Amino acid sequence: MIITADLSGRTALITGASSGLGAHFGRLLAANGARVALGARRKDRLDALAGEIGDQAAAIAMDVAREADIVAGFDAAEAAFGPVDTVIANAGIDGAGMATEMPEEEIERTLAINLKGAILTAREAAKRMIARAVPNGRIVMIASITAFEPSPGLVAYSASKAGVVQAARSMAREWARHGINVNTISPGYIRTAINDDWFDTEPGRKQIARFPKRRLMEPDGLDGPLLFLCSDAAEFVTGADFVLDDGQTL
Ligand code: NAP
């Protein structure tokens, strides 16, 4: 079933759009009428996706671990399409490693991209939405079921995602009077570049076999809630988390 929403007139900035879920979100929002600014570090991949989508897409090189890049990314998005009213803070890395073995730098890198980067992206969006009196601002942050589930081997990652959920709730409260809604989606496991290697291993296959439906999710399992949260229809939804996991945590 194809779920649709009217996002015409909206301008969205999507981080982590060079791959996996972010590229899927870019295509999805554009197909539903939004102009999309596609952000990530690998510009060649963003250029290819923007070329595929057409004139309503722009490729923007940005590293969300660097605030200057985020500011420049929003500047570029505004130069291309005008004020941004919709943001998907999706960029992330896996930050895998057992807690006792993970180098300090890897813990820092995971938190810098997944948590600090998501907060900096959301707050740059909010600063501009407030300054430009954008009506119906929408910020959706991509967390994970690991925000709620003990996740051995993903200590830094799961902590970063729990941080995203709580940061989103706090930001939702800070910006509620400006009409900016901030929500999180916590997806279950979907095969992308972030976990491809793992799910090809024997322990990875066993993990899938333990899920109630014995399968991974597909990216389009997120489409309906994501489109809703980006739309005017989500006026009364802020500070909420949507666990979309095909029952993987049951
Ligand atoms: P992916 O295919 O590896 O995509 C990750 C994206 O993040 C890439 O576009 C990457 O682009 C970007 N990125 C990484 N570091 C960045 C940085 N410093 N600055 C800007 N962009 C950066 O993985 P994915 O599964 O689509 O992941 C997308 C989000 O969904 C992540 O936040 C992930 O934690 C979350 N998630 C995924 C799953 C799953 O099972 N797949 C489940 C729950 C949550 P560049 O390398 O080009 O910068």
Side-chain angles (χ1 to χ4, degrees):
M1 189 173 103
I2 295 176
I3 298 171
T4 60
D6 181 8
L7 301 183
S8 54
R10 282 199 171 267
T11 295
L13 184 144
I14 302 158
T15 66
S18 62
S19 167
L21 302 185
H24 176 77
F25 298 153
R27 290 189 184 94
L28 178 71
L29 267 56
N32 283 273
R35 294 175 288 265
V36 290
L38 308 166
R41 294 166 302 181
R42 287 170 294 175
K43 179 78 165 27
D44 54 331
R45 297 178 68 121
L46 298 173
D47 284 335
L49 179 59
E52 174 199 316
I53 293 173
D55 289 347
Q56 70 193 102
I60 296 172
M62 60 195 286
D63 179 345
V64 299
R66 293 166 36 88
E67 184 162 39
D69 271 30
I70 294 174
V71 171
F74 274 88
D75 285 345
E78 287 188 344
F81 299 129
V84 172
D85 53 25
T86 309
V87 166
I88 316 292
N90 163 79
I93 59 170
D94 70 348
M98 300 306 279
T100 50
E101 288 152 29
M102 210 171 164
E104 179 185 1
E105 298 72 32
E106 267 305 289
I107 295 173
E108 277 178 349
R109 200 169 79 92
T110 304
L111 296 173
I113 295 173
N114 292 9
L115 179 55
K116 184 188 80 170
I119 294 172
L120 291 178
T121 301
R123 80 163 183 172
E124 187 60 28
K127 281 184 193 176
R128 291 171 189 243
M129 288 175 189
I130 293 166
R132 290 150 185 62
V134 164
N136 298 320
R138 298 285 181 262
I139 299 174
V140 182
M141 306 178 73
I142 305 302
S144 160
I145 50 174
T146 63
F148 312 104
E149 294 287 300
S151 306
L154 289 173
V155 168
Y157 178 85
S158 60
S160 73
K161 294 301 186 175
V164 165
V165 171
Q166 191 61 354
R169 287 169 56 77
S170 300
M171 293 188 290
R173 182 67 180 265
E174 282 197 12
W175 305 329
R177 289 193 190 152
H178 297 284
I180 301 169
N181 289 7
V182 188
N183 295 290
T184 47
I185 289 179
S186 292
Y189 290 97
I190 300 167
R191 188 184 282 267
T192 66
I194 211 169
N195 54 29
D196 215 17
D197 293 350
W198 166 250
F199 287 117
D200 283 337
T201 66
E202 194 48 33
R205 280 192 283 272
K206 283 186 178 156
Q207 185 181 11
I208 297 172
R210 285 195 298 273
F211 295 147
K213 297 192 188 179
R214 298 190 171 82
R215 66 183 186 188
L216 294 168
M217 282 183 69
E218 297 296 328
D220 61 11
L222 309 177
D223 290 3
L226 184 83
L227 289 173
F228 168 66
L229 291 174
C230 291
S231 73
D232 290 357
E235 180 178 356
F236 298 105
V237 183
T238 192
D241 178 70
F242 287 67
V243 173
L244 304 173
D245 71 350
D246 197 34
Q248 290 174 5
T249 52
L250 295 175

